[in-house]
Amino acid sequence: MKRTVLGELEELVLLVVAASTEQVYGVPVMQQLKVHTGRDFSIGAVHTTLYRLEEKGFLSSSVGGATSERGGRRKRLFAITAAGAQALAEIRGMREGLWQEIPAEKLKLLGL
């Protein structure tokens, strides 16, 4: 079985979009990344990642209505697809399996 391979930023962006209760656009994704990781990501990096995830079939997008707060520009709104949810489930399962492989005494030594 071929495993899903995502880079760290791809995984984080996919998780942020999955956690959103509505379709989301780049700026809120960037803000949530900052809240959850404490790291600054450029809006360009976030947009590139959103489009790459869409190309991979993990996100879908649509263009929202124009708003005055954005000077009449429209937002591209993203939502997770079934394939994106499956990719996250595979990654979660793989990570949980790896954590289970660490012996309890080693976890204790590492302070985990």
Side-chain angles (χ1 to χ4, degrees):
M1 179 176 131
K2 186 176 177 182
R3 291 200 166 236
T4 301
V5 178
L6 294 177
E8 180 192 23
L9 184 55
E10 288 178 321
E11 182 180 351
L12 292 171
V13 168
L14 198 54
L15 283 166
V16 168
V17 175
S20 299
T21 55
E22 300 175 356
Q23 290 185 318
V24 65
Y25 62 99
V27 171
V29 171
M30 182 180 68
Q31 292 167 338
Q32 286 301 304
L33 288 170
K34 173 75 175 176
V35 167
H36 291 285
T37 69
R39 295 164 44 195
D40 289 315
F41 294 93
S42 72
I43 192 64
V46 171
H47 278 141
T48 298
T49 304
L50 287 165
Y51 288 115
R52 188 169 48 241
L53 288 168
E54 185 176 28
E55 287 174 7
K56 291 181 175 183
F58 298 147
L59 295 177
S60 62
S61 73
S62 60
V63 179
T67 61
S68 60
E69 70 186 23
R70 292 174 41 90
R73 294 180 309 172
R74 299 165 63 161
K75 299 174 187 169
R76 179 158 295 278
L77 303 168
F78 292 88
I80 192 165
T81 64
Q86 179 63 35
L88 285 177
E90 289 174 15
I91 291 167
R92 182 179 184 176
M94 181 268 303
R95 290 185 186 281
E96 288 175 352
L98 286 170
W99 275 99
Q100 295 299 318
E101 295 292 320
I102 301 173
E105 54 276 358
K106 194 165 190 177
L107 286 171
K108 193 173 183 179
L109 280 173
L110 295 171
L112 299 173

